[in-house]
Amino acid sequence: MRAVRNAVEAVHMSYAAMPEVSPAVESLVRQVIAQVADKWTMLVLEVLEEHGTLRFSQVGRLVEGISQKMLTNTLREMERDGLVTRTVHPVIPPHVDYTLTELGRELSAAFCGVWLWAETYHGQVMAARAAFRERERA
Amino acid sequence: MRAVRNAVEAVHMSYAAMPEVSPAVESLVRQVIAQVADKWTMLVLEVLEEHGTLRFSQVGRLVEGISQKMLTNTLREMERDGLVTRTVHPVIPPHVDYTLTELGRELSAAFCGVWLWAETYHGQVMAARAAFRERERA
DNA sequence: TCGCATAGTTTCCTTTTCGTGCGTATGGCA
DNA sequence: TGCCATACGCACGAAAAGGAAACTATGCGA
């Protein structure tokens, strides 16, 4: 949080001088972040942002590596948190659509920075890992 | 990835027309993201960004809720990935400092968007959850 | 001489996570 | 008369995550 304020206000002010966020809000935010920063959530968010409305199995194919169970769980949680809307067409065989809500699209945009970072620096991360392995072999 | 390109280029172009990232790079990026989006990593990143250089136990106190074991693991992984530098002062009792690298600071900045999102919208998330509980009680 | 401080490591144990496989409803197709 | 397709829910078990506590080394102060 305070890190966020830093970036937003773009200043080097004394930390002690900054207004404190209430601990309750702080813990809520942490909780929300911990859930939302989940690996599958991020990936589902991305494919929905990319492709718009998708069916259950389409998401499953696009995310790749996710099991049906985790796909169900992830989509449920995202629906619960208001990130996606779930539309059931009561036909047989079943047909269910998922779409990002405005909240979901905002979150996806917020994650862009992280995706960019990963794209930009994953080479450096790999290099760091190689160097680390070298060092610890001694 | 393509979502990132979208944001960066700020266009509504056909997805098919966009240059594809190689699957190898794609999977690397996913792997890096999955590791880096870890709950403890994010929190450690935040306190180090806030406070600059910190000792092991200082990080432990500031992160709050983390066990010694997880703190060790998290810091090791972050060092391995080149996010922090670890400086050992060979004295007794031991004294070890941790500082964000440039890479770590960049990542921290990239996460700012997510922190901001959480701060801005956690109320809406809570509301969505309450509404969801209502709905499923039927 | 006792024990405290520091940054871990290691062991043991519990909890959580996750994959796999099976069941389900039913209209349409062979 | 089967059997497939779709979007799950459920149960079992393996694997991993994670917490608690003990143990390390050792100079210094009481």
Side-chain angles (χ1 to χ4, degrees):
Chain A
M1 344 287 185
R2 277 175 283 170
V4 170
R5 290 189 193 291
N6 272 358
V8 169
E9 302 173 11
V11 286
H12 291 285
M13 57 191 291
S14 146
Y15 288 104
M18 278 194 291
E20 206 39 50
V21 190
S22 90
V25 171
E26 169 115 1
S27 102
L28 276 182
V29 173
R30 276 169 194 250
Q31 185 191 333
V32 168
I33 287 226
Q35 280 209 13
V36 134
D38 167 72
K39 177 190 171 192
W40 296 128
T41 301
M42 288 182 54
L43 297 178
V44 169
L45 207 58
E46 200 216 335
V47 305
L48 281 177
E49 155 87 13
E50 259 182 55
H51 295 85
T53 298
L54 288 176
R55 305 183 53 169
F56 180 84
S57 52
Q58 290 181 305
V59 179
R61 271 188 294 275
L62 287 167
V63 167
E64 182 178 11
I66 194 170
S67 67
Q68 269 202 345
K69 181 184 172 181
M70 287 316 293
L71 184 53
T72 303
N73 288 357
T74 304
L75 285 171
R76 271 281 174 288
E77 288 233 313
M78 290 177 74
E79 188 198 357
R80 190 173 66 106
D81 291 350
L83 301 178
V84 300
T85 54
R86 178 166 177 271
T87 314
V88 180
H89 305 276
V91 295
I92 285 172
H95 182 133
V96 185
D97 285 331
Y98 295 91
T99 313
L100 286 190
T101 61
E102 182 55 29
L103 202 58
R105 258 174 279 128
E106 291 282 351
L107 178 58
S108 170
F111 265 122
C112 270
V114 182
W115 285 99
L116 251 185
W117 179 91
E119 259 195 329
T120 308
Y121 295 113
H122 76 270
Q124 286 189 37
V125 171
M126 292 305 157
R129 285 188 195 171
F132 188 83
R133 274 196 299 275
E134 269 319 298
R135 259 179 289 150
E136 80 180 349
R137 241 208 322 235
Chain B
M1 335 287 181
R2 276 175 283 171
V4 170
R5 290 188 195 292
N6 273 359
V8 170
E9 300 173 12
V11 287
H12 291 284
M13 57 190 292
S14 146
Y15 287 105
M18 278 194 291
E20 206 38 52
V21 190
S22 90
V25 171
E26 170 112 4
S27 102
L28 276 182
V29 173
R30 277 169 193 249
Q31 186 192 331
V32 167
I33 287 226
Q35 282 210 11
V36 134
D38 169 73
K39 177 189 170 193
W40 295 127
T41 301
M42 288 182 54
L43 298 177
V44 169
L45 208 57
E46 201 216 335
V47 304
L48 281 176
E49 155 87 14
E50 258 181 55
H51 295 85
T53 298
L54 289 176
R55 307 182 53 170
F56 179 85
S57 52
Q58 291 180 305
V59 179
R61 272 189 294 274
L62 287 167
V63 167
E64 182 178 7
I66 194 170
S67 67
Q68 266 200 346
K69 181 182 172 183
M70 287 317 294
L71 185 54
T72 303
N73 289 357
T74 304
L75 286 171
R76 271 280 175 288
E77 288 232 314
M78 290 176 75
E79 188 198 357
R80 188 173 68 105
D81 291 351
L83 301 178
V84 300
T85 55
R86 179 165 176 273
T87 314
V88 181
H89 304 275
V91 295
I92 286 173
H95 182 133
V96 185
D97 284 330
Y98 295 91
T99 314
L100 285 190
T101 60
E102 183 55 30
L103 202 58
R105 258 174 280 128
E106 291 282 351
L107 179 58
S108 171
F111 265 122
C112 271
V114 182
W115 286 99
L116 253 185
W117 179 91
E119 258 194 330
T120 309
Y121 295 113
H122 76 271
Q124 287 190 36
V125 171
M126 293 305 158
R129 285 188 195 171
F132 187 83
R133 274 196 299 275
E134 271 318 300
R135 259 180 288 150
E136 80 179 349
R137 242 208 320 234

